[in-house]
Amino acid sequence: MALQTPSPTLYITNIESKTKKPELRSALYALFTPYGQIIDIVAKKHDGGRGQAFVVFAEQTAATAALRGLSGEQFYGRNLDIVYAKKPSNATLAREDPSKSREAAAIKAAKLVVSNAQGEYEQLEKEREEQEAGLGKRQLDDAEAGPNAKRAKQDEGDDEEMEIEMEDDEDGAWSHLHLEIVSKSFHSRPALPQANGSGVYLICTNLPPECNEDIMGALFSQYAGFTTAAPFTSSPPASHPAPNPGAKSFRISFASQDQANKAAESTKGYLMQPGWAMDVSVEA
């Protein structure tokens, strides 16, 4: 059997699969943290990933000590199988190069969306200007030709007038409307509307004190329908567990109930830091 390459990330299998992710992360953190600083825990609960987890240590020596000390350990009635992970974790890569962090990737994706919208808007503006320039040239030609030539040209085009008007109704009107929507969408991005009591929101609690709107915006901008992230100063919902001392809460606005539900399912229990499992609920 080939020797494993030591890694600061441990791959753990044979985990009991019915435990909810927030509880599982907290239990794994409590079990492994005596061996060294933990920077991330990824618990798998979907498809073929059930019963699996990754524990990422800041130092490789701490991971080695945990592997030796906890292999075969009883955990929720099962013996843990622990090996070194074959590839470096996202948390390790982000620690070595901050540009590879999840937050950096989310911000990069958001900038790409804005850039694409700006490119589309500028192309539509260019086409509109060309159309207006062409219309101005035709009007100038008609004026130079005189009223008789203009009347003759109108008479020759009577047979085509209805077809042209129909095309304008079906295509031209749509193009104008599309331009207006894209323009408004692009110009509204730098200053998204503030929450005013309408719409659908996620209430996110138990966030570390250093968390802010930029971090929350970066996290949720990868989900369709996201509009704003703002501090939530009211008491956490009764359905949420008691937060850690000094924890922050945020209200995340979405365009629709379905979009908010999908984001909530994906981020509930998200671990900003070990011991800081984020709780999420949807509020209409």
Side-chain angles (χ1 to χ4, degrees):
M1 180 177 179
L3 293 176
Q4 294 180 340
T5 302
S7 167
T9 302
L10 298 179
Y11 174 52
I12 306 160
T13 56
N14 198 36
I15 299 173
E16 191 277 324
S17 60
K18 295 182 180 179
T19 306
K20 293 183 177 180
K21 284 206 296 186
E23 179 184 345
L24 179 59
R25 285 194 179 109
S26 297
L28 287 170
Y29 181 78
L31 181 65
F32 282 86
T33 193
Y35 293 90
Q37 180 186 357
I38 295 173
I39 59 175
D40 196 13
I41 295 178
V42 180
K44 300 289 187 178
K45 293 289 290 181
H46 56 80
D47 301 329
R50 292 181 182 276
Q52 304 174 25
F54 293 89
V55 176
V56 187
F57 284 91
E59 303 293 338
Q60 185 265 311
T61 53
T64 298
L67 184 149
R68 293 174 178 172
L70 295 176
S71 289
E73 180 79 8
Q74 280 275 323
F75 185 73
Y76 284 93
R78 293 191 177 186
N79 296 328
L80 294 178
D81 293 329
I82 307 175
V83 296
Y84 292 117
K86 295 181 179 179
K87 297 181 179 180
S89 69
N90 290 332
T92 301
L93 294 174
R95 187 183 178 91
E96 296 172 352
D97 183 359
S99 67
K100 296 181 180 179
S101 67
R102 283 183 237 177
E103 289 77 10
I107 292 173
K108 183 178 179 180
K111 289 181 177 178
L112 179 60
V113 170
V114 173
S115 176
N116 290 341
Q118 181 178 10
E120 184 178 359
Y121 167 72
E122 290 175 350
Q123 178 63 29
L124 290 170
E125 275 289 291
K126 181 179 178 181
E127 292 176 0
R128 182 183 64 80
E129 291 173 358
E130 290 175 351
Q131 291 174 355
E132 291 179 350
L135 178 60
K137 185 177 183 303
R138 285 195 298 271
Q139 291 174 340
L140 181 60
D141 291 343
D142 290 342
E144 292 176 349
N148 293 333
K150 183 177 179 180
R151 188 178 301 109
K153 185 176 180 180
Q154 289 176 340
D155 292 340
E156 292 173 359
D158 284 344
D159 292 338
E160 300 178 1
E161 184 175 352
M162 182 62 70
E163 181 181 355
I164 294 173
E165 288 178 355
M166 290 177 65
E167 289 177 354
D168 286 343
D169 288 340
E170 295 174 0
D171 298 329
W174 180 89
S175 297
H176 177 74
L177 178 61
H178 182 64
L179 171 60
E180 184 178 27
I181 292 173
V182 171
S183 176
K184 288 182 178 179
S185 174
F186 172 72
H187 286 293
S188 65
R189 283 182 181 273
L192 291 168
Q194 298 299 312
N196 58 5
S198 62
V200 183
Y201 307 97
L202 301 185
I203 302 301
C204 304
T205 60
N206 200 39
L207 280 309
E210 60 269 25
C211 195
N212 56 37
E213 292 97 322
D214 291 337
I215 293 176
M216 297 302 289
L219 174 62
F220 283 95
S221 64
Q222 57 190 308
Y223 298 100
F226 166 76
T227 56
T228 59
F232 181 70
T233 56
S234 301
S235 299
S239 60
H240 289 214
N244 292 341
K248 286 186 176 182
S249 300
F250 288 85
R251 181 168 62 179
I252 313 300
S253 176
F254 277 85
S256 74
Q257 183 83 34
D258 288 343
Q259 292 168 332
N261 288 337
K262 289 179 181 178
E265 291 172 4
S266 299
T267 57
K268 187 175 179 65
Y270 182 81
L271 209 64
M272 284 285 187
Q273 292 180 9
W276 291 83
M278 180 173 67
D279 202 54
V280 184
S281 62
V282 180
E283 306 289 336

